[in-house]
Amino acid sequence: MTELHDLAADFVAAAHTIVYCAVGSVDAEGRPTSRVMHPIWEWDGERLTGWLTTTPSPKVRQLADHPYASCAYYDSWAVAAVADGRVEPVADDIERTRIWDLLRATPPPLGYDPGGIGVPGWDGPTAPGFVVARVVPWRVQVRRVKAGVGVELRTWHAP
C-alpha cells in the first residue's frame, strides 16, 4: 500500500493547479449530490487537510447528517486526483480567521479575498455567513498518464 507521504505533495500540486473540483456527498434522503467547489489543501509532512468554505446552505445541513464527501479533480485525461474524507465543521474563530487569511495570502486562481467577492454574509472571518469545514481524508488517489510508461495510479487508505 502507498504511504500518504509518497503521494500527498503530488495530490496537493494537482488540486492547487486544477483549482476546482466536484464535491460529492449524500443529501438528507440518502441520494448522491455534487457541486463544484474550490477547496484549499495543506500538507504538513504528516497530515493532509482540506478546507471547504461556503455559506449556511442545504449542503451544510446535508454534511451534518452525512459527514463524508469526495473531492474529485481532473485535468483532461492526463491527471486525476481524488480525496475522500470526513467533513468536520469548524466553529473556532481563530481557525476560521486563519483559513480566511490563508485564502487571501494564496495567489490566484487558488487564492482570493473572501471579503471582496461579494458573497452575502462574508463580512469577515468570524461572520456567521462564512462557513468553514475541514476535510480529513481517509482515502487519497493520484492518477497520472506518463509518456512511455502508461497510467500511474497511487492510492492511500487510512489504517
Side-chain angles (χ1 to χ4, degrees), residues 35 37 52-63 89 96 119-124 126-133:
R35 66 206 48 86
M37 293 187 80
L52 302 173
T53 56
T54 189
T55 60
S57 66
K59 71 179 153 251
V60 173
R61 290 187 297 280
Q62 292 167 2
L63 288 167
R96 292 171 65 213
V119 175
W122 283 22
D123 304 320
T126 61
F130 182 66
V131 176
V132 176

Side-chain angles (χ1 to χ4, degrees), residues 3-155:
E3 296 294 327
L4 183 58
H5 61 79
D6 293 334
L7 64 95
D10 289 341
F11 172 83
V12 171
H16 287 183
T17 299
I18 297 167
V19 180
Y20 292 95
C21 70
V23 177
S25 59
V26 177
D27 72 11
E29 285 77 39
R31 299 172 301 204
T33 183
S34 62
R35 66 206 48 86
V36 175
M37 293 187 80
H38 188 177
I40 191 164
W41 294 87
E42 294 181 303
W43 168 243
D44 67 6
E46 293 181 25
R47 186 174 305 129
L48 179 64
T49 306
W51 300 101
L52 302 173
T53 56
T54 189
T55 60
S57 66
K59 71 179 153 251
V60 173
R61 290 187 297 280
Q62 292 167 2
L63 288 167
D65 292 339
H66 304 280
Y68 296 94
S70 181
C71 300
Y73 298 84
Y74 63 93
D75 177 14
S76 70
W77 58 274
V79 177
V82 178
D84 299 326
R86 181 172 180 79
V87 180
E88 304 167 349
V90 176
D92 176 43
D93 285 343
I94 292 171
E95 191 72 270
R96 292 171 65 213
T97 299
R98 187 182 76 77
I99 298 308
W100 180 281
D101 292 342
L102 175 64
L103 292 168
R104 286 181 54 148
T106 301
L110 180 64
Y112 58 94
D113 178 2
I117 61 173
V119 175
W122 283 22
D123 304 320
T126 61
F130 182 66
V131 176
V132 176
R134 175 185 298 110
V135 179
V136 179
W138 59 268
R139 179 178 151 311
V140 177
Q141 187 172 69
V142 177
R143 174 190 169 275
R144 293 187 185 272
V145 175
K146 293 186 171 186
V149 177
V151 176
E152 175 191 66
L153 182 64
R154 295 177 292 153
T155 305

